[in-house]
Amino acid sequence: MPEVKRYPNRLGIKGWLVGGKWGPERYLYFLHRVTGLGLLLYLLMHIVVVSSRAFGQEQWEWAMGRVSGPVFLVGEFLVFVAFVFHALNGVRLVLVELGILTGKAEDPVFPYRSSVNVQRPFMIVMMILAAILIVLGGYDFFVLVAH
Amino acid sequence: MSDNGVKDFVFRVRRFDPVKDDSPHYQDFKVPVKPGWTILEGLWYIKENMDSSLSWRSSCRMGVCGSCGMLVNGSPTLACNTQIRDVATGVLMLAPLPNFDIIRDLVPDLAPMFDKHTHLMPHIKRDDQEEMLEPTDQYWQSPEELDQFLQFSYCIKCGCCMAACPTFATDATFSGPQPLSQAYRYLIDSRDDAFKERKTLLGSGGVGPWRCHYAGECSTVCPKGVDPARAIQLMKRELVLDYLRLSKASKRKPAGLLPAEKRLGRRDDIPEAPPFTVEDAS
Ligand code: HEM
Ligand code: SF4
Ligand code: SF4
Ligand code: FES
């Protein structure tokens, strides 16, 4: 059989964002990964900054001076937002991926109801909780601390 | 709308001819759609009346063979069980299932999915080979044991789930929802006796369930209600339970033959099969 030319059609990173039925869980999948990597990046920077204490008080104060100001306040708030989202969504993922929130196998009767529908109320509760914590945190960051 | 409820729809079809084209492009066809027409019927109309070179795969035209999976307005689904008026008002976008190479027009190369499927041993494995190949009776399985996997056995291997999965979109080594859900279907089958072998296989590289992060899209698009995401999470659960020495599936003895006292024999009211119509039809 002669070799036929094929056209590669893998979606790549675009496939994290578009396709399927654009379900909310797809975007949580994306956000969980982005926030996880963001937190990891923060952790590494945090270790670098804090390790300056080992080189004496002057170094420490110099380093702390580098990371203060409004830009870093917003940055720290974003770390907080990422953490709250990642932790609450992570709890949902643990419960789903251990089969606790998926429900058992059932007869597929049209219109189909899948495990995605079973876990969705819990997903909504977790996201509302995250939103409340983020608003409270924002009040603490920008109103209580800044004044 | 004209007589008999016929209405024109634009079919915007992604075309690719491996001999002439370097990359795919879209081509419009104006199709007079009768009420109740499926996308497949629209495609046949184009092929018979407008462009005989248009290619796609289909066979059963009733959602059973799994041939006609394609992207309809960006979502993977079957062309044969989707009515045009249910998904479009004027323009219908059709493209081949992504995450697979395009062979031609709407024909994706599903072979990598079948290879992954085969690799994960989609069949019952047990020691009594003789009994399996020349069965003397049925294996004894309770309705509850059947319920553990029946939903997942409805998969028609259409590949829609693979086209929707964000992990498979960036990771060609990930087995993907279709092969993994079938691997679970046999892992949990009470007649199977290869838990250890399956566990080793599923633990190697990206083959197993662990690269699935529950985007859930496979289950949302599956045209048969198979819910592969559920199968994959239940598989993770079983593997974690096994690690904690708590898995029933890993410890069970495979189902034995039906005990003699349960045998009912053939029901009287079921007629014998008719005689063969050809000589020596064995
Ligand atoms: C209470 C705190 C946390 C919880 C409950 C949590 C939970 C989780 C879970 C369940 C996953 C796996 C998700 C999946 O399989 O889809 C995950 C992934 C991840 N987490 Fe966390 N996590 C927490 C904190 C952190 C922190 C502090 C960091 C960074 C230092 C982090 C970085 C990551 C990364 C990079 C991933 C991989 C993301 C991916 O591959 O998509 N997590 N987390
Ligand atoms: S699980 Fe569903 S979408 Fe995936 S191949 Fe099987 S029938 Fe198709
Ligand atoms: S649930 Fe898992 S297998 Fe299904 S689409 Fe999401 S990542 Fe892919
Ligand atoms: S033609 Fe068989 S599933 Fe659509």
Side-chain angles (χ1 to χ4, degrees):
Chain A
M1 205 175 74
E3 197 49 45
V4 228
K5 184 172 75 183
R6 267 124 215 269
Y7 188 78
N9 196 25
R10 193 170 285 285
L11 286 174
I13 299 223
K14 193 178 142 215
W16 293 357
L17 291 171
V18 298
K21 285 222 177 1
W22 287 268
E25 285 77 9
R26 158 183 233 105
Y27 297 97
L28 298 184
Y29 165 105
F30 177 72
L31 281 178
H32 197 85
R33 181 161 293 174
V34 170
T35 53
L37 292 172
L39 287 171
L40 190 62
L41 182 71
Y42 171 78
L43 180 69
L44 296 175
M45 295 194 307
H46 182 66
I47 291 172
V48 170
V49 171
V50 172
S51 65
S52 65
R53 188 64 189 84
F55 301 102
Q57 183 160 353
E58 241 170 70
Q59 296 291 328
W60 163 255
E61 276 166 10
W62 180 84
M64 288 313 281
R66 297 294 99 191
V67 293
S68 58
V71 174
F72 284 94
L73 187 68
V74 173
E76 278 179 348
F77 179 64
L78 287 183
V79 172
F80 171 76
V81 170
F83 179 78
V84 168
F85 167 79
H86 189 96
L88 289 175
N89 192 49
V91 170
R92 172 185 71 99
L93 286 174
V94 168
L95 295 177
V96 169
E97 293 184 27
L98 288 177
I100 293 163
L101 282 180
T102 55
K104 288 185 185 159
E106 57 193 275
D107 249 1
V109 178
F110 195 82
Y112 307 126
R113 206 183 69 104
S114 77
S115 58
V116 181
N117 305 92
V118 178
Q119 59 83 50
R120 187 155 290 163
F122 190 78
M123 183 277 275
I124 293 171
V125 169
M126 283 323 228
M127 289 305 109
I128 291 176
L129 258 182
I132 294 174
L133 283 176
I134 288 167
V135 169
L136 287 179
Y139 182 70
D140 186 58
F141 260 80
F142 297 111
V143 182
L144 296 184
V145 173
H147 293 282
Chain B
M1 200 170 285
S2 61
D3 288 336
N4 309 326
V6 174
K7 184 179 174 232
D8 284 345
F9 279 74
V10 174
F11 276 47
R12 189 156 292 159
V13 186
R14 200 163 187 228
R15 306 287 310 262
F16 174 70
D17 180 342
V19 178
K20 286 192 286 191
D21 300 335
D22 287 329
S23 61
H25 59 276
Y26 280 94
Q27 186 179 355
D28 283 2
F29 299 95
K30 206 163 103 189
V31 181
V33 171
K34 289 187 186 158
W37 265 20
T38 61
I39 293 167
L40 187 58
E41 282 169 304
L43 287 171
W44 276 117
Y45 182 90
I46 298 174
K47 195 169 181 76
E48 284 167 1
N49 299 288
M50 300 160 104
D51 186 344
S52 59
S53 73
L54 182 65
S55 306
W56 71 86
R57 234 189 244 122
S58 68
S59 173
C60 71
R61 52 102 183 95
M62 54 189 206
V64 170
C65 72
S67 304
C68 67
M70 57 185 71
L71 268 196
V72 176
N73 291 335
S75 275
T77 193
L78 300 178
C80 71
N81 75 353
T82 309
Q83 289 197 14
I84 297 162
R85 278 157 213 249
D86 286 350
V87 291
T89 47
V91 181
L92 190 69
M93 301 273 285
L94 297 180
L97 289 181
N99 301 335
F100 298 107
D101 289 353
I102 304 174
I103 294 177
R104 188 189 172 105
D105 294 345
L106 300 172
V107 185
D109 181 7
L110 297 181
M113 175 175 85
F114 298 134
D115 291 345
K116 288 167 192 288
H117 174 67
T118 319
H119 183 63
L120 295 185
M121 308 192 293
H123 47 82
I124 289 192
K125 278 199 87 161
R126 43 194 292 154
D127 291 336
D128 52 359
Q129 278 299 310
E130 215 172 302
E131 174 65 32
M132 273 195 72
L133 299 176
E134 292 291 334
T136 57
D137 209 328
Q138 311 163 33
Y139 290 124
W140 196 31
Q141 186 166 60
S142 70
E144 292 74 31
E145 287 166 339
L146 174 68
D147 282 344
Q148 288 192 299
F149 67 82
L150 185 61
Q151 175 177 29
F152 311 125
S153 66
Y154 291 120
C155 172
I156 57 172
K157 286 111 197 142
C158 62
C160 288
C161 52
M162 308 288 277
C165 174
T167 301
F168 192 55
T170 42
D171 185 355
T173 62
F174 176 53
S175 289
Q178 188 282 324
L180 282 171
S181 54
Q182 294 319 296
Y184 179 71
R185 176 248 172 280
Y186 288 98
L187 179 91
I188 207 68
D189 191 320
S190 64
R191 296 165 295 180
D192 189 72
D193 189 23
F195 192 95
K196 288 213 171 57
E197 202 181 327
R198 292 179 191 280
K199 181 175 83 176
T200 314
L201 185 62
L202 292 167
S204 53
V207 169
W210 303 105
R211 285 189 192 170
C212 159
H213 302 290
Y214 203 76
E217 292 279 37
C218 50
S219 296
T220 326
V221 301
C222 175
K224 301 301 282 184
V226 169
D227 204 346
R230 174 182 278 157
I232 297 170
Q233 315 321 313
L234 292 176
M235 175 193 272
K236 290 178 186 169
R237 176 201 184 90
E238 215 53 51
L239 294 175
V240 169
L241 286 176
D242 173 66
Y243 183 76
L244 301 171
R245 310 266 180 280
L246 293 172
S247 162
K248 285 193 196 115
S250 86
K251 287 183 210 155
R252 75 173 170 234
K253 284 211 160 39
L257 293 181
L258 198 65
E261 72 274 15
K262 299 269 178 193
R263 264 174 230 178
L264 295 173
R266 190 184 178 83
R267 257 167 53 189
D268 294 337
D269 54 340
I270 298 177
E272 290 296 328
F276 289 117
T277 50
V278 285
E279 294 287 313
D280 192 24
S282 54

